[in-house]
Amino acid sequence: MTTPEQTSIPAPIISVLDISESAVVVHRRGSTVWRVRSRDAEYAVKLGYPITATDQWEAAEWTALAPAREGAVLQELGSATAAYGVWDRGTWNVQPWHEGSDLQAVWAPHRTRHEVSHPPTRDALACARALTELHDKGYVHGDVQPAHFILDSERTSAAIIDLALVHGAEIPKRFDFPYRGCLVHYEAPEISRSVLESGEATPTPEADVYGLGATLFMAATGWRHVEYQDDAPRAEQRRAIVNRSHRPVNVVRPLGWLINDMLRFEPRDRPSMQEVCKALETEAQ
Ligand SMILES: Nc1ncnc2c1ncn2[C@@H]1O[C@H](COP(=O)(O)OP(=O)(O)OP(=O)(O)O)[C@@H](O)[C@H]1O
Ligand SMILES: [Mg+2]
């Protein structure tokens, strides 16, 4: 019997890549990620498989397709080394490894008990530029969160990862699946509302802007943008996002003001990513 977990890289991927070293980075429901060394470069290998229902979580099939979907997006974006395929329980992808640390880790020292957090604007700018680049190419990320921005060691630029839910790319039909929202802590109210009403939503640039606002707020303070119980069911979390106002943004101005604008309830009231970058550039000088 196959276990619901997968802890080894399937043999065909190992031989295609000629892997000399590998280490598990993340291993959780529906997905396993390895950092691997192949000849002279490092890659992330992602493996997806279905989630089996337990009394704590629901079953899900889309996690099996997510790596192939992301692989198709990466190839459309022009990644020369991204590859993807199927294995017996789902799909996999290989993509360049981004050296660095994610925003949540980089801003850990700023999550103090002080009333107002003072994170560096230039880190926010690096993340904003990565998202803007994606928007400028005509894509929406759909799953913005602190772990998805990897800042390089000099913290001058950031890579945006986990492109499995990107909107705007041509996806082979057999690997596509509907967008059913993202990690609720970073979801815009209109996305939450749509998921509550119909089970699905359409990612938009405005919802990404909201997601970046919630991301900066979380990384800077450790707080979710809207208050709800840690163990609240997802529908309840979404209802809180739709019906409650977000927490006061206790981040130093003017970054705090900008986050506040990004978290506006109405999508049309939020700044565009270009405007966000402009405001951060002025501040970071
Ligand atoms: N290309 C990459 N470069 C560096 N690190 C990566 C890369 N891809 C994935 N990772 C690491 O693996 C983690 C999980 O990757 P990713 O978010 O893409 O997978 P996931 O299964 O979709 O996870 P989640 O369900 O949390 O979104 C990332 O937070 C990051 O630490
Ligand atoms: Mg992820």
Side-chain angles (χ1 to χ4, degrees):
M1 201 185 87
T2 27
T3 62
E5 309 275 299
Q6 180 69 25
T7 48
S8 59
I9 304 177
I13 308 177
I14 297 187
S15 58
V16 167
L17 266 187
D18 191 12
I19 294 172
S20 53
E21 277 173 59
S22 72
V24 173
V25 181
V26 163
H27 179 55
R28 58 184 155 221
R29 287 170 298 143
S31 125
T32 308
V33 180
W34 290 265
R35 177 180 184 166
V36 306
R37 172 157 285 283
S38 160
R39 294 179 280 269
D40 54 353
E42 287 198 311
Y43 296 92
V45 172
K46 287 178 72 172
L47 205 61
Y49 35 96
I51 296 176
T52 325
T54 70
D55 44 1
Q56 270 138 46
W57 57 71
E58 293 167 14
E61 290 292 328
W62 68 269
T63 46
L65 299 175
R69 196 180 188 284
E70 181 181 35
V73 172
L74 285 164
Q75 288 187 351
E76 190 171 307
L77 282 168
S79 171
T81 48
Y84 65 95
V86 293
W87 66 293
D88 59 359
R89 298 187 51 230
T91 67
W92 56 267
N93 77 46
V94 176
Q95 54 182 283
W97 180 263
H98 298 288
E99 191 66 60
S101 305
D102 69 46
L103 184 68
Q104 191 72 6
V106 170
W107 279 8
H110 300 283
R111 292 193 292 278
T112 57
R113 291 182 185 279
H114 296 136
E115 263 172 42
V116 177
S117 174
H118 289 64
T121 303
R122 67 191 181 111
D123 295 341
L125 177 58
C127 297
R129 280 183 171 150
L131 184 56
T132 306
E133 204 181 314
L134 197 67
H135 285 190
D136 286 348
K137 289 178 181 162
Y139 302 94
V140 173
H141 188 274
D143 192 11
V144 174
Q145 49 176 283
H148 291 167
F149 292 99
I150 312 277
L151 286 133
D152 68 6
S153 54
E154 275 96 51
R155 286 156 70 174
T156 48
S157 71
I160 188 162
I161 62 161
D162 200 350
L163 305 177
L165 304 184
V166 157
H167 188 70
E170 197 76 47
I171 308 291
K173 248 200 159 85
R174 66 189 187 285
F175 298 132
D176 208 4
F177 50 86
Y179 182 72
R180 298 199 176 90
C182 55
L183 189 54
V184 186
H185 312 330
Y186 308 99
E187 221 169 69
E190 67 277 12
I191 300 286
S192 293
R193 180 186 290 123
S194 174
V195 173
L196 284 170
E197 284 171 1
S198 70
E200 292 179 20
T202 304
T204 61
E206 292 84 358
D208 271 2
V209 168
Y210 190 103
L212 182 61
T215 288
L216 296 172
F217 184 41
M218 164 61 86
T221 67
W223 294 99
R224 295 188 287 257
H225 62 294
V226 173
E227 192 179 343
Y228 44 77
Q229 294 286 322
D230 286 348
D231 57 356
R234 283 209 193 129
E236 201 178 311
Q237 297 180 13
R238 290 194 160 107
R239 280 194 293 274
I241 289 173
V242 172
N243 297 323
R244 289 188 197 161
S245 33
H246 65 75
R247 294 181 205 266
V249 179
N250 55 333
V251 177
V252 70
R253 295 162 181 180
L255 180 59
W257 278 335
L258 186 61
I259 295 174
N260 209 56
D261 281 346
M262 296 164 84
L263 293 178
R264 295 243 180 255
F265 191 83
E266 292 295 337
R268 63 170 178 273
D269 293 341
R270 296 172 205 150
S272 68
M273 278 313 301
Q274 282 84 358
E275 288 166 335
V276 169
C277 283
K278 220 182 245 168
L280 291 170
E281 275 158 15
T282 312
E283 187 46 32
Q285 274 163 11

